[in-house]
Amino acid sequence: MVSRRVALTAAGVGIAGVAGAAAVGAAMMDDERSPASASPGDAVAFYGEHQAGIVTPAQDRLHFAAFDVITKDRAKLVEMLREWTAAAARMTQGRDAGLLGAVGGQAEAPPDDTGEALGLPASGLTLTIGFGRTLFRDAAGADRFGIADRLPAALEALPHFPGDALRPEISDGDLCVQACANDPQVAVHAIRNLARIGFGVVSIRYSQLGFGRTSSTSREQTTARNLMGFKDGTRNMKLEDTDLLREQLWARAEDGAAWMAGGSYLVTRRIRMTVETWDRTPLAEQEAIFGRDKGEGAPLGRAKEFDEPDFDAKGPDGQPAIAKEAHIRLAHPDFNNGAHLLRRGYNFVDGSDNLGRLDAGLFFIAYQRDPRKQFVPVQRSLARADILNEYIRHVSSGLWACPPGVTGDGDHWGRALF
Ligand code: HEM
């Protein structure tokens, strides 16, 4: 094996040799890729005050789906939500989707579960539902299901941001389900079975597979890396930050929509990366763009990943150690009226485009109490000045009201709304 020293970072933190890099890879498989203090096969509780899949330690895989409601019949929609809830409660515990059993039912009818997750463990599966603006009012403003008066003010349509290249066919939607699991087959199975159960009531508008969490949502998890090779999620809101979560993650009745108390608002953005251009960018420039070094993930001018960034520090050239347009400065709460986000995005690679470039990037997922005060101002400051914009393009966007958790038998997704 070649044994050469690979200088991974201009800030001086290096990884010794290819063997060292392989060891880092192995450690990532063992530590970074599995939920904190649970084995990857374990089940996550479905019932609770809040929906699972928000502060749950981020699993390794994603299948996200946005649905259009294709019926005008409110009763059919509510019945489907009831059936979805029952199926979700079963599948998240490692069971099949159908009440008749995996291959149960009548021989002349399709089986009650598609079958591809039979024998697989629960794999940390969480299913998190969200409601889009268009469920409340259609494009012409008409009340589709008698819930227009419950449209939360916080679900105000996101503004256009400079540089947005959004494709309508992979944006928005009436409903969404975020399936996260440690086994891609389990996540895909869950979305597929919800779509099967919803036949005639909903149809999939678009869906997105993701791998390799790009955030940690618990202090017990090590920080994973995004496809630009940087540690991502270092200064994320985490499940241990209970006071901050109360203040910035969970919606309250007094925010305006009583049915959302204990819920949270979700912003999804499919962000394409021009990885080929990024891979030709000098290391020092990559690090200046984020304001962190690549090996350790420390803020520039500091030594360790979790050191607080010092935005006043100057480099040897007398310039700010963390550039004025660096990503971590522009996104920092100090420069955004104290706004925090709970990020839990995933990497994606959907093959390549017709120019032979990887169709790769970040499926950005962020939860918050009020996007008008959190995602919107942060994205405004990033869209205005972030040097990272040269290497990324936002191509899809979604905004969702994710209701509180289902509390037990008799309760179902959307009960308080409908
Ligand atoms: C921090 C990557 C897009 C909000 C970071 C960090 C990295 C990163 C490497 C530093 C580590 C950390 O604290 O997590 C990326 C990449 C993006 C992207 C590759 C696009 C492809 C966004 C967007 C937003 C955002 C769209 C929100 C509008 C934040 C926030 C922080 C952060 C709030 C923490 C800032 C702090 O408190 O220090 N991001 N990010 N990022 N990012 Fe992004």
Side-chain angles (χ1 to χ4, degrees):
M1 176 174 286
V2 189
S3 174
R4 81 193 145 85
R5 179 160 283 272
V6 181
L8 222 158
T9 130
V13 182
I15 291 179
V18 176
V24 170
M28 272 164 70
M29 294 298 289
D30 290 339
D31 298 326
E32 299 191 10
R33 299 300 184 194
S34 58
S37 63
S39 98
D42 286 354
V44 174
F46 177 72
Y47 297 108
E49 184 188 358
H50 307 296
Q51 288 197 74
I54 301 178
V55 293
T56 307
Q59 303 92 322
D60 190 49
R61 300 291 182 139
L62 168 79
H63 192 186
F64 177 88
F67 295 86
D68 287 328
V69 178
I70 54 173
T71 181
K72 291 192 165 81
D73 187 334
R74 172 184 163 123
K76 273 195 185 154
L77 173 58
V78 174
E79 184 50 29
M80 184 207 73
L81 289 172
R82 227 187 271 279
E83 288 175 16
W84 269 14
T85 312
R90 293 173 62 83
M91 290 190 289
T92 53
Q93 303 311 299
R95 299 166 71 191
D96 48 75
L99 296 173
L100 298 174
V103 287
Q106 297 176 341
E108 59 274 17
D112 230 18
D113 181 290
T114 53
E116 73 272 28
L118 277 179
L120 296 178
S123 308
L125 174 69
T126 54
L127 293 165
T128 314
I129 195 169
F131 303 124
R133 257 185 89 76
T134 49
L135 187 70
F136 299 82
R137 283 189 190 281
D138 66 15
D143 186 352
R144 292 175 68 191
F145 299 106
I147 52 172
D149 60 340
R150 298 187 169 201
L151 175 69
L155 210 58
E156 182 177 303
L158 297 177
H160 174 86
F161 298 101
D164 272 0
L166 304 182
R167 288 167 45 201
E169 74 282 10
I170 55 165
S171 293
D172 305 321
D174 297 331
L175 298 172
C176 77
V177 179
Q178 170 201 276
C180 297
N182 295 311
D183 181 335
Q185 181 123 338
V186 169
V188 167
H189 167 265
I191 293 293
R192 179 179 173 192
N193 278 273
L194 295 181
R196 181 184 58 77
I197 292 167
F199 182 76
V201 181
V202 290
S203 67
I204 288 193
R205 183 177 170 85
Y206 58 94
S207 90
Q208 179 69 53
L209 293 174
F211 65 91
R213 63 179 171 85
T214 59
S215 255
S216 357
T217 51
S218 163
R219 296 203 187 287
E220 283 187 43
Q221 292 183 298
T222 45
T223 317
R225 290 180 187 266
N226 60 36
L227 288 183
M228 289 174 156
F230 277 74
K231 289 188 184 174
D232 205 336
T234 303
R235 278 187 39 89
N236 200 15
M237 275 205 283
K238 309 237 161 97
L239 84 92
E240 294 83 1
D241 304 330
T242 35
D243 290 346
L244 196 57
L245 299 185
R246 203 173 307 116
E247 199 47 50
Q248 300 234 3
L249 180 65
W250 304 120
R252 301 182 195 170
E254 71 256 30
D255 294 344
W259 65 272
M260 270 296 287
S264 192
Y265 294 89
L266 163 64
V267 174
T268 53
R269 307 279 286 187
R270 180 180 151 109
I271 308 177
R272 171 96 188 258
M273 293 172 176
T274 46
V275 288
E276 291 77 8
T277 317
W278 180 256
D279 296 343
R280 293 194 300 269
T281 303
L283 177 59
E285 203 174 316
Q286 293 188 359
E287 295 184 332
I289 287 171
F290 284 110
R292 287 184 177 270
D293 79 66
K294 195 164 188 177
E296 166 67 21
L300 294 181
R302 307 297 309 269
K304 304 302 286 177
E305 181 190 351
F306 293 101
D307 287 350
E308 282 295 317
D310 179 353
F311 294 112
D312 298 325
K314 299 269 191 294
D317 57 359
Q319 295 300 312
I322 299 173
K324 293 278 182 222
E325 306 80 16
H327 184 75
I328 67 159
R329 181 192 288 266
L330 294 169
H332 195 278
D334 285 1
F335 305 106
N336 293 286
N337 221 1
H340 289 258
L341 294 167
L342 185 134
R343 291 169 286 142
R344 51 175 295 139
Y346 287 85
N347 299 316
F348 71 84
V349 177
D350 292 341
S352 48
D353 65 16
N354 53 8
L355 296 173
R357 300 172 306 193
L358 288 182
D359 184 0
L362 167 70
F363 193 72
F364 175 88
I365 293 179
Y367 289 90
Q368 62 230 273
R369 180 171 163 196
D370 189 341
R372 295 169 301 172
K373 297 182 184 150
Q374 294 165 267
F375 176 79
V376 171
V378 176
Q379 177 55 19
R380 267 210 181 104
S381 62
L382 291 177
R384 183 178 44 79
D386 195 352
I387 336 170
L388 185 61
N389 293 334
E390 269 183 50
Y391 303 88
I392 61 172
R393 206 165 56 246
H394 290 233
V395 294
S396 139
S397 177
L399 171 65
W400 316 93
C402 301
V406 175
T407 51
D409 289 342
D411 193 10
H412 64 83
W413 277 341
R415 188 186 52 79
L417 171 61
F418 286 94

